[in-house]
Amino acid sequence: MRMLLVGALLITMTSAAMTCSALADDDDAKSAQKLAQQGRDDYWHCLAREYSRDSNQGLSEQDFGRSVAGACPSERQYYRVALLDYLTTQYPDIDAGAHLATANRAVEAAQKDIVITFVKHRPPQK
């Protein structure tokens, strides 16, 4: 009887530990997601400031693209790292190189989107 009671207690303790671990993992994932979203928003706001600079209005698409690629280095890096951390937390079994490639594609997509917006909204050339 005593062994049965000890076994039940061990099962209960193991279950509780697993639940606490799952909740902690969930908190880590939510925190990582929030930081990735904040990084994305900060990067986008910086790109929007770059877009609205008066000095960029006369640039060609290629020149503006180069300007955007070099703009906001700290925001870009923070976004990349926060997204990498989130992907690693969400998908720990996937190779880190794949996560880095995904984060790099997200940064490139943001840059491409701002260039497309720039081209769409610039005044027609005379």
Side-chain angles (χ1 to χ4, degrees):
M1 179 70 172
R2 185 175 175 112
M3 290 300 281
L4 186 58
L5 186 59
V6 170
L9 183 60
L10 283 173
I11 290 173
T12 302
M13 290 174 60
T14 303
S15 178
M18 289 174 63
T19 301
C20 288
S21 176
L23 290 175
D25 288 346
D26 191 42
D27 287 345
D28 289 345
K30 285 181 182 179
S31 177
Q33 181 181 21
K34 185 175 181 179
L35 290 174
Q37 289 170 336
Q38 183 63 48
R40 177 202 61 205
D41 293 347
D42 290 347
Y43 186 49
W44 265 102
H45 287 128
C46 185
L47 290 177
R49 286 190 303 274
E50 186 69 23
Y51 169 84
S52 62
R53 290 185 196 274
D54 288 339
S55 61
N56 289 329
Q57 298 313 313
L59 296 179
S60 69
E61 178 180 349
Q62 292 78 17
D63 288 340
F64 182 73
R66 281 191 288 276
S67 174
V68 165
C72 312
S74 61
E75 291 87 347
R76 179 179 58 240
Q77 184 62 14
Y78 180 81
Y79 176 39
R80 181 182 288 118
V81 170
L83 184 55
L84 184 59
D85 183 47
Y86 170 69
L87 292 170
T88 302
T89 301
Q90 283 296 108
Y91 309 102
D93 296 333
I94 294 178
D95 179 57
H99 291 319
L100 181 58
T102 300
N104 286 335
R105 281 193 304 273
V107 167
E108 290 168 7
Q111 292 172 356
K112 182 178 177 183
D113 287 348
I114 203 76
V115 170
I116 289 170
T117 301
F118 175 80
V119 170
K120 277 183 167 179
H121 292 102
R122 71 179 173 191
Q125 294 182 353
K126 297 177 183 180

